Amino acid sequence: MSIRFHSLVVLAGAGVLFVGCENNPSQPAGPSSVRSAQSAVLAEPAQLAAKGASQHVVTMFDACDPETFDAALGAGTCTRSGGVRFATFLDQLGKHHSIGAWHFAPPEVTMQVGQMLVATNRGGETHTFTEVDEFGGGIVPILNQLTGLTEVAPECNRLAPKDFLAPGASSSEEEEDAGVEKYQCCIHPWMRAEVRIAAK
Ligand SMILES: [Cu+2]
């Protein structure tokens, strides 16, 4: 099987690459009305401690191999050392519809109204931590195809540049409403977390 990439669009400032495949051109993400959490500026632990808020952290992991990911997607795509080669990544995705090294940990969080939810990228690639009504595909058509997530989560089409979390970056928000929230990566849509928020 050969997969040809013909369009690479660099999102300025976010260091993220969108990959379009020839049957399914990628759609640019619109900047408007992002309802998800991720916009907030990184909250330093000291600031949180000062506010007296307790925080729950979801860590975003991947295992990209810089040499092969950068060769396929552009320099700077992957900033960790070693890992899963790009061809293996695509092959595994096609076979299993997900690849476990790319994940949110923990996948389930239980917390209370008034507490902080923090997402931190400890991988080598850019990820998003996007609240969605229902889990679905993301913004990279080839990854949607390989995972079988052909129905794109609409929230992923409304991302702003600040929603893209580069390696080392975090986002945080204070949870204000009780309920269950779903979060996914809009690049790697099998990366998911469910957050249960109890009333105070
Ligand atoms: Cu991701």
Side-chain angles (χ1 to χ4, degrees), residues 102 126-128 185 187-188 191:
W102 278 251
T126 294
H127 299 284
T128 80
C185 177
I187 300 168
H188 315 98
M191 300 176 72

Side-chain angles (χ1 to χ4, degrees), residues 75-137:
T77 299
C78 175
T79 60
R80 62 191 300 286
S81 56
V84 178
R85 296 175 67 80
F86 188 65
T88 307
F89 169 79
L90 295 179
D91 184 55
Q92 293 294 306
L93 265 186
K95 283 180 180 153
H96 305 299
H97 310 302
S98 67
I99 181 163
W102 278 251
H103 67 281
F104 291 162
E108 292 178 11
V109 174
T110 302
M111 56 190 293
Q112 274 192 327
V113 167
Q115 295 180 327
M116 302 293 295
L117 179 63
V118 180
T120 299
N121 184 356
R122 295 280 176 239
E125 288 187 277
T126 294
H127 299 284
T128 80
F129 189 73
T130 304
E131 187 181 348
V132 295
D133 282 340
E134 299 297 337
F135 292 124

Side-chain angles (χ1 to χ4, degrees), residues 54-195:
S54 84
Q55 60 171 319
H56 293 260
V57 179
V58 175
T59 306
M60 314 158 91
F61 290 106
D62 62 57
C64 61
D65 162 58
E67 185 185 339
T68 53
F69 274 68
D70 285 10
L73 303 174
T77 299
C78 175
T79 60
R80 62 191 300 286
S81 56
V84 178
R85 296 175 67 80
F86 188 65
T88 307
F89 169 79
L90 295 179
D91 184 55
Q92 293 294 306
L93 265 186
K95 283 180 180 153
H96 305 299
H97 310 302
S98 67
I99 181 163
W102 278 251
H103 67 281
F104 291 162
E108 292 178 11
V109 174
T110 302
M111 56 190 293
Q112 274 192 327
V113 167
Q115 295 180 327
M116 302 293 295
L117 179 63
V118 180
T120 299
N121 184 356
R122 295 280 176 239
E125 288 187 277
T126 294
H127 299 284
T128 80
F129 189 73
T130 304
E131 187 181 348
V132 295
D133 282 340
E134 299 297 337
F135 292 124
I139 57 175
V140 185
I142 184 64
L143 298 184
N144 293 344
Q145 285 175 23
L146 291 172
T147 53
L149 295 167
T150 49
E151 192 155 330
V152 175
E155 294 88 348
C156 290
N157 284 326
R158 299 197 290 265
L159 296 173
K162 64 192 173 189
D163 297 321
F164 293 88
L165 300 176
S170 297
S171 68
S172 66
E173 70 160 2
E174 183 173 336
E175 296 295 353
E176 295 174 342
D177 301 310
V180 179
E181 295 182 347
K182 299 183 174 84
Y183 292 85
Q184 72 170 69
C185 177
C186 285
I187 300 168
H188 315 98
W190 64 95
M191 300 176 72
R192 297 174 173 181
E194 267 196 13
V195 180

